Amino acid sequence: PGTSHVLAEKEFERGSSNALEQEQAMRAGIEGSEFQLMYQPKVDARTGRLTSLEALARWSRPGVGQVSPIEFIAAAERTGLIGALGTALLKQACEQIAQWRTHYTHCVPVAVNVSPLQLLDPRFPQLVAHMLQSCGVAPQWLTLEITESSAVQNLEQTTVQVEQLRGMGVHVAMDDFGTGFSSLNMLRSLRLHTVKIDRGLIDPLPSPDAVAVVRAICQLAEALHLHVVAEGVETQAQAVAARDAGCGELQGYLYSKPLL
Ligand code: C2E
Ligand code: MG
Ligand code: MG
């Protein structure tokens, strides 16, 4: 016990100083506007025309380089910084929409990813309303992407929040559907507009079993009056299979990587 105690302590110290360093760097990064959004197109599965954009966060950490959003979003959730970061990103997206709206006649809606922890805050719908109003953006230009894990774990609360957002005119999409919980009860209970099928189910297309699964999700979505987006489309064969299975919109490197 004596020696393992010493080892554990060293490991702990190293871990916590790393975490602390990252937390401080993130805090400074939020204040210093180091976080930026990139925008990835979604296209109409039939015509190939641009339908909307998804805003994806990027962090270029000084002295370190690009940090993956999977890593820094998780870190922000652990350290309680997700509220501040999420608000900063939502603001950035709304300002960008407002700017596009003043410069271009043809604009498309922008989807912003929302952490389960942001959605847990009962004041979240008010925050969104305030942000839209202060940027002068009409709600139909904003979609919020929520993940199924958050919805399943807090179904009652999520239902209330989604209903409020819907009432305001903001669209809500279920992200990464099909690999996690894939709760059908949740799909039915939440008044969503869109389901995004996870890349994990699109990747094996056009194999017949994968086609069967995607088609089943599309049929279910149609019965519930939900739009379907296929995520992570990388090849023409996947695009054709996803379209034929019933996906209305496609997103992935085949069309474009996220753009600045
Ligand atoms: P997501 O919302 O499911 O976003 C899709 C991810 O798939 C993005 O990765 C995108 O760059 C990537 N992707 C798109 N097309 C393809 C493709 O054809 N092939 C492959 N292999 N990948 C593709 P990214 O930008 O690294 O984001 C990862 C995740 O981080 C997102 O998954 C989302 O859950 C989270 N995230 C990103 N930005 C934000 C944000 O602003 N707020 C929150 N809360 N989460 C965010
Ligand atoms: Mg997303
Ligand atoms: Mg996704």
Side-chain angles (χ1 to χ4, degrees), residues 71-151:
E71 194 186 316
F72 69 72
I73 294 291
E77 287 174 341
R78 260 195 323 271
T79 54
L81 285 172
I82 192 65
L85 178 59
T87 304
L89 292 170
L90 186 64
K91 182 163 182 270
Q92 214 181 99
C94 289
E95 286 171 350
Q96 181 64 81
I97 298 170
Q99 205 186 7
W100 280 329
R101 294 276 304 141
T102 50
H103 286 92
Y104 302 102
T105 45
H106 182 76
C107 288
V108 293
V110 174
V112 175
N113 291 284
V114 169
S115 156
L117 295 184
Q118 287 173 272
L119 203 67
L120 269 184
D121 183 349
R123 292 162 305 178
F124 182 69
Q126 273 161 268
L127 174 81
V128 174
H130 171 75
M131 200 69 85
L132 287 169
Q133 200 177 20
S134 67
C135 294
V137 171
Q140 80 257 25
W141 298 106
L142 182 69
T143 299
L144 298 175
E145 293 191 4
I146 64 173
T147 51
E148 52 170 329
S149 56
S150 59

Coordinates of all heavy atoms in Angstrom, one line a residue, residues 71-151:
E71 N -13.1 16.9 -27.8 CA -12.3 17.0 -26.6 C -12.7 18.3 -25.8 O -13.0 18.2 -24.6 CB -10.8 17.1 -26.9 CG -9.9 16.9 -25.7 CD -8.5 17.1 -26.1 OE1 -8.0 16.6 -27.2 OE2 -7.8 17.8 -25.4
F72 N -12.8 19.5 -26.5 CA -13.0 20.7 -25.7 C -14.5 20.8 -25.2 O -14.7 21.5 -24.2 CB -12.4 21.9 -26.3 CG -13.1 22.4 -27.6 CD1 -14.3 23.0 -27.6 CD2 -12.4 22.3 -28.8 CE1 -14.9 23.5 -28.7 CE2 -13.0 22.8 -30.0 CZ -14.2 23.4 -29.9
I73 N -15.4 20.3 -26.0 CA -16.8 20.4 -25.5 C -16.9 19.5 -24.2 O -17.5 19.9 -23.2 CB -17.8 19.9 -26.6 CG1 -17.8 20.9 -27.8 CG2 -19.2 19.8 -26.0 CD1 -18.3 22.2 -27.6
A74 N -16.3 18.3 -24.2 CA -16.4 17.4 -23.1 C -15.7 18.1 -21.9 O -16.2 18.1 -20.7 CB -15.7 16.1 -23.4
A75 N -14.6 18.8 -22.1 CA -13.9 19.5 -21.1 C -14.7 20.7 -20.5 O -14.8 20.9 -19.3 CB -12.5 20.0 -21.6
A76 N -15.4 21.4 -21.4 CA -16.2 22.5 -21.0 C -17.4 22.0 -20.2 O -17.8 22.6 -19.2 CB -16.7 23.2 -22.2
E77 N -17.9 20.8 -20.5 CA -19.0 20.2 -19.8 C -18.5 19.8 -18.4 O -19.2 20.0 -17.4 CB -19.6 19.0 -20.5 CG -20.4 19.5 -21.7 CD -20.9 18.3 -22.6 OE1 -20.3 17.2 -22.5 OE2 -21.8 18.5 -23.4
R78 N -17.3 19.3 -18.3 CA -16.8 18.8 -17.0 C -16.5 20.0 -16.1 O -16.7 19.9 -14.9 CB -15.4 18.1 -17.2 CG -15.5 16.6 -17.2 CD -14.1 16.0 -17.1 NE -13.0 16.6 -17.8 CZ -12.7 16.4 -19.0 NH1 -13.3 15.5 -19.8 NH2 -11.7 17.0 -19.6
T79 N -16.0 21.1 -16.6 CA -15.6 22.2 -15.8 C -16.6 23.3 -15.6 O -16.3 24.3 -14.9 CB -14.3 22.9 -16.4 OG1 -14.7 23.2 -17.8 CG2 -13.2 21.9 -16.5
G80 N -17.8 23.1 -16.2 CA -18.8 24.1 -16.0 C -18.7 25.3 -16.9 O -19.4 26.3 -16.7
L81 N -17.8 25.2 -17.9 CA -17.6 26.3 -18.8 C -18.5 26.3 -20.0 O -18.6 27.2 -20.8 CB -16.2 26.4 -19.3 CG -15.1 26.9 -18.3 CD1 -13.7 26.7 -18.8 CD2 -15.4 28.4 -18.0
I82 N -19.3 25.2 -20.1 CA -20.1 25.0 -21.3 C -21.2 26.0 -21.5 O -21.5 26.4 -22.6 CB -20.8 23.5 -21.3 CG1 -21.4 23.2 -22.7 CG2 -21.8 23.4 -20.2 CD1 -20.4 23.1 -23.8
G83 N -21.7 26.6 -20.3 CA -22.7 27.6 -20.4 C -22.1 28.9 -21.2 O -22.7 29.3 -22.1
A84 N -20.9 29.3 -20.7 CA -20.3 30.5 -21.3 C -19.9 30.2 -22.7 O -20.1 31.0 -23.6 CB -19.1 30.9 -20.5
L85 N -19.3 29.0 -23.0 CA -18.9 28.7 -24.3 C -20.1 28.6 -25.3 O -20.0 29.1 -26.4 CB -18.0 27.4 -24.3 CG -17.5 26.9 -25.6 CD1 -16.6 27.9 -26.3 CD2 -16.8 25.6 -25.5
G86 N -21.1 27.8 -24.8 CA -22.3 27.6 -25.6 C -22.9 29.0 -26.0 O -23.3 29.2 -27.1
T87 N -23.0 29.9 -25.0 CA -23.6 31.2 -25.3 C -22.8 32.0 -26.3 O -23.3 32.6 -27.2 CB -23.7 32.0 -24.0 OG1 -24.5 31.2 -23.0 CG2 -24.4 33.3 -24.2
A88 N -21.4 31.9 -26.1 CA -20.5 32.6 -27.0 C -20.7 32.1 -28.5 O -20.7 32.9 -29.4 CB -19.1 32.5 -26.6
L89 N -20.8 30.8 -28.6 CA -21.0 30.2 -29.9 C -22.3 30.5 -30.6 O -22.4 30.8 -31.7 CB -20.7 28.7 -29.9 CG -19.3 28.2 -29.5 CD1 -19.2 26.7 -29.2 CD2 -18.3 28.6 -30.7
L90 N -23.3 30.5 -29.7 CA -24.7 30.8 -30.2 C -24.7 32.3 -30.7 O -25.3 32.6 -31.7 CB -25.7 30.6 -29.1 CG -27.2 30.7 -29.5 CD1 -27.6 29.7 -30.5 CD2 -28.1 30.6 -28.2
K91 N -24.1 33.1 -29.9 CA -24.0 34.5 -30.3 C -23.3 34.7 -31.7 O -23.8 35.4 -32.5 CB -23.3 35.3 -29.2 CG -23.2 36.8 -29.4 CD -22.8 37.5 -28.1 CE -22.7 39.0 -28.3 NZ -21.4 39.5 -28.6
Q92 N -22.1 34.0 -31.8 CA -21.4 34.1 -33.0 C -22.2 33.6 -34.2 O -22.2 34.3 -35.3 CB -20.2 33.1 -32.9 CG -18.9 33.6 -33.6 CD -17.8 32.7 -33.4 OE1 -17.5 31.9 -34.3 NE2 -17.1 32.7 -32.3
A93 N -23.0 32.5 -34.0 CA -23.8 32.0 -35.1 C -24.9 33.0 -35.5 O -25.1 33.3 -36.6 CB -24.4 30.7 -34.7
C94 N -25.5 33.6 -34.5 CA -26.6 34.6 -34.7 C -26.1 35.8 -35.4 O -26.7 36.4 -36.3 CB -27.4 35.0 -33.4 SG -28.4 33.6 -32.8
E95 N -24.9 36.3 -35.0 CA -24.3 37.5 -35.6 C -24.0 37.1 -37.1 O -24.1 38.0 -38.0 CB -23.1 37.9 -34.9 CG -23.4 38.6 -33.6 CD -22.2 38.9 -32.7 OE1 -21.1 38.3 -33.0 OE2 -22.4 39.5 -31.7
Q96 N -23.5 35.9 -37.3 CA -23.2 35.5 -38.7 C -24.4 35.5 -39.6 O -24.4 35.9 -40.7 CB -22.4 34.2 -38.7 CG -22.0 33.7 -40.1 CD -21.0 34.6 -40.7 OE1 -19.8 34.5 -40.4 NE2 -21.4 35.5 -41.6
I97 N -25.5 34.9 -39.0 CA -26.7 34.8 -39.8 C -27.2 36.3 -40.1 O -27.6 36.5 -41.3 CB -27.9 34.1 -39.0 CG1 -27.5 32.7 -38.7 CG2 -29.2 34.1 -39.7 CD1 -28.4 32.0 -37.7
A98 N -27.1 37.1 -39.1 CA -27.6 38.5 -39.4 C -26.8 39.2 -40.5 O -27.3 39.8 -41.3 CB -27.5 39.3 -38.1
Q99 N -25.5 38.9 -40.4 CA -24.6 39.5 -41.5 C -24.9 39.0 -42.9 O -25.0 39.7 -43.8 CB -23.1 39.2 -41.1 CG -22.1 40.1 -41.6 CD -20.7 39.7 -41.4 OE1 -20.5 38.6 -40.9 NE2 -19.8 40.5 -41.7
W100 N -25.1 37.6 -42.9 CA -25.5 37.0 -44.2 C -26.8 37.6 -44.7 O -27.0 37.8 -45.9 CB -25.5 35.5 -44.1 CG -24.2 34.8 -44.2 CD1 -23.1 35.3 -44.8 CD2 -23.8 33.6 -43.5 NE1 -22.0 34.4 -44.7 CE2 -22.5 33.3 -43.9 CE3 -24.5 32.7 -42.7 CZ2 -21.8 32.2 -43.4 CZ3 -23.8 31.6 -42.3 CH2 -22.5 31.3 -42.6
R101 N -27.7 37.8 -43.8 CA -29.1 38.2 -44.2 C -29.0 39.7 -44.7 O -29.8 40.0 -45.6 CB -30.0 38.2 -43.0 CG -30.3 36.8 -42.4 CD -31.4 36.1 -43.2 NE -32.6 36.9 -43.2 CZ -33.5 37.0 -44.2 NH1 -33.2 36.4 -45.3 NH2 -34.6 37.7 -44.1
T102 N -28.1 40.5 -44.3 CA -28.0 41.8 -44.8 C -27.2 41.9 -46.1 O -27.5 42.7 -46.9 CB -27.3 42.8 -43.8 OG1 -26.1 42.3 -43.4 CG2 -28.2 43.1 -42.6
H103 N -26.3 40.9 -46.4 CA -25.5 40.9 -47.6 C -26.1 40.1 -48.7 O -25.7 40.4 -49.9 CB -24.1 40.5 -47.3 CG -23.3 41.5 -46.6 ND1 -23.2 41.5 -45.2 CD2 -22.6 42.5 -47.0 CE1 -22.5 42.5 -44.8 NE2 -22.1 43.2 -45.9
Y104 N -26.9 39.1 -48.4 CA -27.3 38.2 -49.5 C -28.8 38.0 -49.5 O -29.5 38.0 -48.5 CB -26.7 36.8 -49.3 CG -25.2 36.8 -49.3 CD1 -24.5 36.7 -48.1 CD2 -24.5 37.0 -50.5 CE1 -23.1 36.8 -48.1 CE2 -23.1 37.0 -50.5 CZ -22.4 36.9 -49.3 OH -21.0 37.0 -49.3
T105 N -29.4 37.9 -50.7 CA -30.8 37.7 -50.8 C -31.2 36.3 -50.6 O -32.3 36.0 -50.0 CB -31.4 38.2 -52.2 OG1 -30.5 37.7 -53.2 CG2 -31.4 39.7 -52.3
H106 N -30.4 35.3 -51.0 CA -30.7 33.9 -50.8 C -29.9 33.4 -49.6 O -28.7 33.2 -49.7 CB -30.4 33.1 -52.1 CG -30.8 31.7 -51.9 ND1 -32.1 31.2 -51.9 CD2 -30.0 30.6 -51.6 CE1 -32.1 29.9 -51.7 NE2 -30.8 29.5 -51.5
C107 N -30.6 33.2 -48.5 CA -29.9 32.6 -47.3 C -30.6 31.3 -46.9 O -31.7 31.0 -47.3 CB -30.1 33.6 -46.2 SG -29.0 35.1 -46.4
V108 N -29.8 30.5 -46.1 CA -30.3 29.2 -45.6 C -30.2 29.2 -44.1 O -29.4 29.9 -43.5 CB -29.6 28.0 -46.3 CG1 -29.8 27.9 -47.8 CG2 -28.1 28.1 -45.9
P109 N -31.1 28.4 -43.5 CA -31.0 28.3 -42.0 C -29.7 27.7 -41.5 O -29.0 27.0 -42.3 CB -32.1 27.4 -41.6 CG -33.0 27.3 -42.8 CD -32.2 27.6 -44.0
V110 N -29.3 28.1 -40.3 CA -28.0 27.6 -39.7 C -28.4 26.7 -38.5 O -29.2 27.2 -37.6 CB -27.1 28.7 -39.4 CG1 -25.9 28.3 -38.6 CG2 -26.7 29.5 -40.6
A111 N -27.8 25.6 -38.4 CA -28.0 24.7 -37.2 C -26.8 24.8 -36.3 O -25.7 24.8 -36.7 CB -28.1 23.2 -37.7
V112 N -27.1 25.0 -35.0 CA -26.1 25.2 -33.9 C -26.2 24.0 -33.0 O -27.4 23.6 -32.6 CB -26.3 26.5 -33.2 CG1 -25.3 26.6 -32.0 CG2 -26.1 27.7 -34.1
N113 N -25.1 23.3 -32.7 CA -25.1 22.2 -31.7 C -25.3 22.7 -30.3 O -24.7 23.7 -29.9 CB -23.8 21.4 -31.9 CG -23.8 20.7 -33.2 OD1 -24.4 19.6 -33.4 ND2 -23.0 21.2 -34.1
V114 N -26.1 22.0 -29.6 CA -26.4 22.4 -28.2 C -26.0 21.2 -27.3 O -26.4 20.1 -27.5 CB -27.8 22.8 -28.0 CG1 -28.2 22.9 -26.6 CG2 -28.2 24.0 -28.8
S115 N -25.2 21.5 -26.2 CA -24.9 20.5 -25.2 C -26.1 20.2 -24.4 O -26.8 21.0 -24.0 CB -23.7 21.0 -24.4 OG -23.7 20.4 -23.2
P116 N -26.2 18.9 -24.0 CA -27.2 18.5 -23.0 C -27.3 19.4 -21.8 O -28.4 19.7 -21.3 CB -26.8 17.1 -22.6 CG -25.9 16.6 -23.7 CD -25.3 17.8 -24.4
L117 N -26.1 19.9 -21.3 CA -26.1 20.7 -20.1 C -26.7 22.1 -20.4 O -27.3 22.6 -19.5 CB -24.6 20.8 -19.6 CG -24.0 19.5 -19.1 CD1 -22.6 19.8 -18.5 CD2 -24.9 18.8 -18.1
Q118 N -26.5 22.6 -21.6 CA -27.2 23.9 -21.9 C -28.7 23.7 -21.9 O -29.4 24.5 -21.4 CB -26.8 24.4 -23.3 CG -25.4 24.9 -23.4 CD -25.0 25.1 -24.9 OE1 -24.6 24.3 -25.6 NE2 -25.3 26.4 -25.3
L119 N -29.1 22.6 -22.4 CA -30.6 22.3 -22.5 C -31.2 22.1 -21.1 O -32.4 22.3 -21.0 CB -30.8 21.1 -23.4 CG -32.1 21.0 -24.1 CD1 -32.3 22.1 -25.1 CD2 -32.3 19.6 -24.8
L120 N -30.4 21.6 -20.2 CA -30.9 21.4 -18.9 C -31.3 22.7 -18.1 O -32.1 22.7 -17.2 CB -29.8 20.7 -18.0 CG -29.8 19.2 -18.0 CD1 -28.8 18.7 -17.0 CD2 -31.2 18.6 -17.6
D121 N -30.7 23.8 -18.5 CA -31.0 25.1 -17.9 C -32.4 25.5 -18.3 O -32.6 25.8 -19.5 CB -29.9 26.1 -18.4 CG -30.1 27.4 -17.7 OD1 -31.1 27.7 -17.1 OD2 -29.2 28.3 -17.8
P122 N -33.3 25.7 -17.4 CA -34.7 26.1 -17.7 C -34.8 27.4 -18.4 O -35.7 27.7 -19.1 CB -35.4 26.1 -16.4 CG -34.4 25.9 -15.3 CD -33.1 25.5 -15.9
R123 N -33.7 28.2 -18.3 CA -33.7 29.6 -18.9 C -33.2 29.5 -20.4 O -33.1 30.5 -21.0 CB -32.9 30.5 -18.1 CG -33.4 30.9 -16.7 CD -32.4 31.5 -15.9 NE -31.2 30.6 -15.8 CZ -30.1 30.8 -15.1 NH1 -29.9 31.9 -14.5 NH2 -29.1 29.9 -15.1
F124 N -32.8 28.3 -20.8 CA -32.2 28.2 -22.2 C -33.1 28.8 -23.3 O -32.6 29.6 -24.1 CB -31.8 26.8 -22.5 CG -31.1 26.7 -23.8 CD1 -29.8 27.2 -24.0 CD2 -31.7 26.0 -24.8 CE1 -29.2 27.1 -25.2 CE2 -31.1 25.9 -26.1 CZ -29.8 26.4 -26.3
P125 N -34.4 28.4 -23.3 CA -35.2 29.0 -24.4 C -35.3 30.6 -24.4 O -35.2 31.2 -25.4 CB -36.6 28.4 -24.1 CG -36.3 27.1 -23.4 CD -35.1 27.4 -22.6
Q126 N -35.3 31.1 -23.2 CA -35.2 32.6 -23.0 C -33.9 33.2 -23.6 O -33.9 34.2 -24.2 CB -35.3 33.0 -21.6 CG -36.7 33.1 -21.0 CD -36.7 33.0 -19.5 OE1 -36.8 32.0 -19.0 NE2 -36.4 34.2 -18.9
L127 N -32.8 32.5 -23.3 CA -31.5 32.9 -23.8 C -31.5 32.9 -25.3 O -31.0 33.9 -25.9 CB -30.4 31.9 -23.3 CG -29.0 32.2 -23.8 CD1 -28.4 33.3 -23.1 CD2 -28.2 31.0 -23.8
V128 N -32.1 31.9 -25.9 CA -32.1 31.8 -27.4 C -33.0 33.0 -27.9 O -32.6 33.7 -28.9 CB -32.7 30.4 -27.8 CG1 -32.9 30.4 -29.3 CG2 -31.8 29.3 -27.4
A129 N -34.1 33.2 -27.3 CA -35.0 34.3 -27.7 C -34.3 35.6 -27.7 O -34.4 36.4 -28.6 CB -36.3 34.3 -26.9
H130 N -33.6 35.8 -26.6 CA -32.9 37.1 -26.3 C -31.8 37.3 -27.4 O -31.6 38.4 -28.0 CB -32.3 37.1 -24.9 CG -31.4 38.2 -24.7 ND1 -31.8 39.5 -24.5 CD2 -30.0 38.3 -24.7 CE1 -30.8 40.3 -24.4 NE2 -29.7 39.6 -24.5
M131 N -31.1 36.2 -27.7 CA -30.0 36.2 -28.7 C -30.5 36.6 -30.0 O -29.9 37.4 -30.7 CB -29.3 34.9 -28.7 CG -27.9 34.9 -29.2 SD -26.8 35.8 -28.1 CE -26.4 34.4 -27.0
L132 N -31.6 35.9 -30.4 CA -32.2 36.2 -31.8 C -32.6 37.6 -31.9 O -32.3 38.3 -32.9 CB -33.4 35.3 -32.0 CG -33.0 33.8 -32.2 CD1 -34.3 32.9 -32.2 CD2 -32.4 33.6 -33.6
Q133 N -33.3 38.1 -30.8 CA -33.8 39.5 -30.8 C -32.7 40.5 -30.9 O -32.7 41.4 -31.7 CB -34.6 39.7 -29.6 CG -35.6 40.8 -29.7 CD -36.5 40.9 -28.5 OE1 -36.2 40.4 -27.4 NE2 -37.6 41.6 -28.6
S134 N -31.6 40.3 -30.0 CA -30.6 41.3 -30.0 C -29.8 41.3 -31.3 O -29.2 42.3 -31.7 CB -29.7 41.1 -28.8 OG -28.9 39.9 -28.9
C135 N -29.8 40.2 -32.0 CA -29.0 40.2 -33.3 C -30.0 40.5 -34.5 O -29.6 40.6 -35.6 CB -28.4 38.8 -33.6 SG -27.1 38.4 -32.4
G136 N -31.3 40.6 -34.2 CA -32.2 41.0 -35.3 C -32.4 39.8 -36.2 O -32.6 40.0 -37.4
V137 N -32.4 38.6 -35.7 CA -32.6 37.4 -36.6 C -33.9 36.8 -36.3 O -34.3 36.5 -35.1 CB -31.4 36.4 -36.3 CG1 -31.7 35.1 -37.0 CG2 -30.1 37.0 -36.7
A138 N -34.7 36.5 -37.3 CA -36.0 35.8 -37.2 C -35.7 34.3 -36.8 O -34.8 33.7 -37.3 CB -36.8 35.9 -38.4
P139 N -36.6 33.7 -35.9 CA -36.3 32.4 -35.4 C -36.2 31.3 -36.5 O -35.5 30.3 -36.3 CB -37.5 32.1 -34.5 CG -38.3 33.3 -34.5 CD -37.7 34.3 -35.3
Q140 N -36.9 31.5 -37.7 CA -36.8 30.4 -38.7 C -35.4 30.2 -39.3 O -35.2 29.2 -39.9 CB -37.9 30.6 -39.8 CG -37.5 31.6 -40.8 CD -38.2 33.0 -40.6 OE1 -38.6 33.3 -39.5 NE2 -38.4 33.7 -41.7
W141 N -34.5 31.1 -39.0 CA -33.1 31.0 -39.6 C -32.3 30.1 -38.6 O -31.1 29.8 -39.0 CB -32.5 32.3 -39.8 CG -33.3 33.1 -40.8 CD1 -34.1 34.2 -40.6 CD2 -33.3 32.8 -42.2 NE1 -34.7 34.6 -41.8 CE2 -34.2 33.8 -42.8 CE3 -32.7 31.9 -43.1 CZ2 -34.5 33.8 -44.1 CZ3 -33.1 31.9 -44.4 CH2 -33.9 32.8 -44.9
L142 N -32.8 29.8 -37.5 CA -32.0 29.0 -36.5 C -32.6 27.6 -36.2 O -33.8 27.5 -36.0 CB -31.9 29.8 -35.2 CG -31.0 29.1 -34.1 CD1 -29.6 29.1 -34.5 CD2 -31.2 29.8 -32.7
T143 N -31.7 26.6 -36.3 CA -32.0 25.2 -35.9 C -31.1 24.9 -34.8 O -29.9 25.3 -34.7 CB -31.8 24.3 -37.1 OG1 -32.7 24.6 -38.1 CG2 -32.1 22.8 -36.7
L144 N -31.6 24.1 -33.8 CA -30.7 23.7 -32.7 C -30.6 22.2 -32.8 O -31.6 21.5 -33.0 CB -31.3 24.1 -31.3 CG -31.4 25.6 -31.1 CD1 -32.1 25.9 -29.8 CD2 -30.0 26.2 -31.1
E145 N -29.4 21.7 -32.8 CA -29.2 20.2 -32.8 C -28.9 19.7 -31.4 O -28.0 20.1 -30.8 CB -28.0 19.8 -33.7 CG -28.3 20.2 -35.2 CD -27.2 19.6 -36.1 OE1 -26.3 18.9 -35.7 OE2 -27.4 19.9 -37.3
I146 N -29.8 18.8 -30.9 CA -29.6 18.2 -29.6 C -29.3 16.7 -29.8 O -29.6 16.1 -30.8 CB -30.8 18.4 -28.7 CG1 -32.0 17.7 -29.2 CG2 -31.1 19.9 -28.6 CD1 -33.2 17.7 -28.3
T147 N -28.6 16.1 -28.8 CA -28.2 14.7 -29.0 C -29.2 13.9 -28.2 O -29.8 14.3 -27.3 CB -26.8 14.5 -28.4 OG1 -26.7 15.0 -27.1 CG2 -25.7 15.1 -29.3
E148 N -29.3 12.6 -28.7 CA -30.4 11.8 -28.2 C -30.1 11.4 -26.7 O -31.0 11.2 -26.0 CB -30.6 10.6 -29.1 CG -29.4 9.8 -29.4 CD -29.9 8.5 -30.1 OE1 -30.9 7.9 -29.8 OE2 -29.1 8.0 -30.9
S149 N -28.8 11.3 -26.4 CA -28.5 10.9 -25.0 C -29.1 11.9 -24.0 O -29.8 11.5 -23.0 CB -27.0 10.9 -24.8 OG -26.4 12.1 -25.1
S150 N -29.0 13.2 -24.3 CA -29.6 14.2 -23.4 C -31.1 14.1 -23.3 O -31.7 14.2 -22.3 CB -29.2 15.6 -23.8 OG -29.7 15.8 -25.1
A151 N -31.7 13.8 -24.5 CA -33.1 13.8 -24.5 C -33.7 12.6 -23.8 O -34.7 12.7 -23.0 CB -33.6 13.7 -26.0

